[in-house]
Amino acid sequence: MSEVTEYIIAGLLLLGGAFSLIGALGLARLPDFFTRLHGPTKATTLGVGAIMLSSVIYFSNSGEGLGVAEILITVFLFLTAPVSANMLAKAAMHIGVSPMDGTRGNPWDQ
Amino acid sequence: MITIALYATIAMVVLAALLNMFRLLKGPDAPDRVLALDTLYINAIALIILVGITLGTRMYLESALLIAVMGFVGTVAMAKYLKRGSVIE
Amino acid sequence: MLARIGFPQPWLSLLLFITWQLLSDGISGGSVVLGLILAWAIPRITYGFWPEPPGFVNAWRMPVYLAIVLWDIVLASFSVAKLILSPRKPRPAFICYPLQLEHPLAISILASTISLTPGTVSADVSDDQKLLLIHALDAEDNQAVIDSIHNRYEKPLMEMFK
């Protein structure tokens, strides 16, 4: 494995870890449910995507062929993240979780 | 080089999982807890991949795939339960 | 012709077949047979759940759209990360987005795109499919958010689904 690929893999790994951490930090720190929804759907999904990409590069460089399973998992996560966020938002609006003070507009429930 | 980055990343993901646990225990509402579980399984997938790279094997990817599928179904089922009061109508 | 031998949605069947080949370790006789069975059976079982097939006129625009969305996901994550790490309070807002798309599949693609891109999560579609409720994490101006979504994502989708 050349040095450049090693740097790329290490950089992607650290980027992925940082995004996972930031997503979790947002989940722990933001003030209400609807703002918390943003961290996991974007940051965490991209974090796992970056880690998968580094895994693909790592294993294709160590002579085990292209990793199809990683790509499938990544695509699946990117497809499902918005759907679960949407369903959770609907459920929260139905239960009547109140948004934080200073939120403009109103949630609706039908 | 890669080894150091691997261990640093594993530490970060574990810390992220702990933060999710905090939200899971604290709530305050049911959707918050479901969201924390959702993020937790995504972090579990990341950890499995990282362990796979550390051990130099791809065997664990199958389980990561299963967790991805089952976790999504679980989240949707719980969201549906919160909204309707039943999973299958 | 394809519908007569039992593939009412050939594209879905093809997608399922390819996915099954990727899932099973290497292409072998068994995986091909099982893939064909699945590609035949799953569209039949789920037939009732699909909305009527869309008029997909410009399918070749899809890769361009996906590339734009992928790039925006990266940008979105950076902007959300910045907001999470900064100490100031976010300015969240619920925004009603007037939909111009009509087909259910196009609307769900738009809603998913909105959820993955900067600062917005789509929350709900009104029953008559005319309004999309969006939650923005940090919005100064509702109209600016609506305009940027319209220009960046809805217009390409409108050209794809006529």
Side-chain angles (χ1 to χ4, degrees):
Chain A
M1 205 177 302
S2 74
E3 202 160 308
V4 181
T5 15
E6 280 199 19
Y7 275 113
I8 291 175
I9 293 170
L12 278 174
L13 278 174
L14 290 175
L15 189 74
F19 270 124
S20 299
L21 189 55
I22 287 168
L25 211 61
L27 189 66
R29 178 174 170 263
L30 287 172
D32 75 336
F33 173 76
F34 295 102
T35 51
R36 270 174 226 147
L37 205 53
H38 290 266
T41 43
K42 296 180 194 91
T44 310
T45 312
L46 189 76
V48 176
I51 291 176
M52 295 289 181
L53 196 60
S54 71
S55 168
V56 171
I57 299 174
Y58 181 83
F59 283 115
S60 59
N61 266 295
S62 60
E64 294 200 31
L66 190 68
V68 184
E70 287 104 325
I71 298 169
L72 270 181
I73 297 173
T74 317
V75 169
F76 189 77
L77 282 180
F78 272 95
L79 285 179
T80 55
V83 177
S84 44
N86 182 263
M87 298 215 54
L88 281 173
K90 269 189 193 174
M93 288 195 297
H94 180 75
I95 293 176
V97 174
S98 52
M100 67 179 269
D101 295 336
T103 304
R104 279 174 287 132
N106 284 310
W108 71 37
D109 183 43
Q110 45 182 8
Chain B
M1 179 73 204
I2 288 182
T3 329
I4 302 168
L6 260 177
Y7 286 131
T9 313
I10 289 177
M12 283 194 270
V13 177
V14 168
L15 196 59
L18 286 177
L19 284 169
N20 292 337
M21 293 275 208
F22 163 74
R23 181 50 72 193
L24 182 64
L25 293 174
K26 187 159 173 263
D29 298 302
D32 285 296
R33 295 178 207 269
V34 180
L35 184 65
L37 273 178
D38 187 73
T39 320
L40 205 55
Y41 90 73
I42 297 178
N43 282 339
I45 294 173
L47 269 183
I48 288 175
I49 305 297
L50 290 170
V51 168
I53 301 178
T54 317
L55 300 178
T57 170
R58 282 169 91 169
M59 232 164 47
Y60 299 107
L61 280 174
E62 312 280 324
S63 60
L65 195 61
L66 274 179
I67 293 179
V69 176
M70 291 299 151
F72 172 64
V73 173
T75 305
V76 168
M78 277 194 277
K80 194 134 190 274
Y81 175 75
L82 290 176
K83 190 160 156 50
R84 308 248 184 204
S86 66
V87 177
I88 298 168
E89 284 160 10
Chain C
M1 202 287 252
L2 275 169
R4 206 181 302 157
I5 46 174
F7 293 104
Q9 289 154 292
W11 290 112
L12 178 66
S13 296
L14 187 69
L15 192 70
L16 285 167
F17 183 74
I18 293 173
T19 313
W20 187 255
Q21 302 312 316
L22 295 179
L23 273 175
S24 51
D25 258 337
I27 299 171
S28 63
S31 76
V32 168
V33 171
L34 200 53
L36 278 176
I37 293 174
L38 289 175
W40 176 78
I42 292 176
R44 307 224 121 200
I45 296 169
T46 57
Y47 193 64
F49 297 107
W50 287 89
E52 76 274 20
F56 220 161
V57 269
N58 286 321
W60 53 271
R61 280 175 194 262
M62 207 61 184
V64 182
Y65 181 75
L66 285 181
I68 293 176
V69 170
L70 209 60
W71 177 241
D72 283 358
I73 290 172
V74 178
L75 290 184
S77 302
F78 275 103
S79 68
V80 169
K82 216 166 72 186
L83 197 78
I84 287 173
L85 293 176
S86 77
R88 78 181 170 85
K89 281 210 154 189
R91 292 160 293 182
F94 281 100
I95 300 170
C96 278
Y97 180 82
L99 282 167
Q100 292 183 19
L101 292 165
E102 279 161 13
H103 195 271
L105 184 65
I107 292 175
S108 66
I109 292 179
L110 181 70
S112 301
T113 312
I114 289 170
S115 290
L116 281 173
T117 47
T120 45
V121 166
S122 58
D124 207 353
V125 183
S126 66
D127 286 337
D128 56 359
Q129 301 193 333
K130 295 263 163 60
L131 283 176
L132 191 65
L133 184 66
I134 298 172
H135 182 266
L137 178 56
D138 192 47
E140 265 181 87
D141 181 16
N142 291 6
Q143 197 56 43
V145 174
I146 292 175
D147 286 345
S148 78
I149 291 173
H150 180 75
N151 289 328
R152 200 158 171 84
Y153 308 118
E154 195 174 17
K155 271 192 186 155
L157 281 174
M158 276 161 72
E159 280 171 28
M160 263 186 272
F161 294 86
K162 270 178 186 152

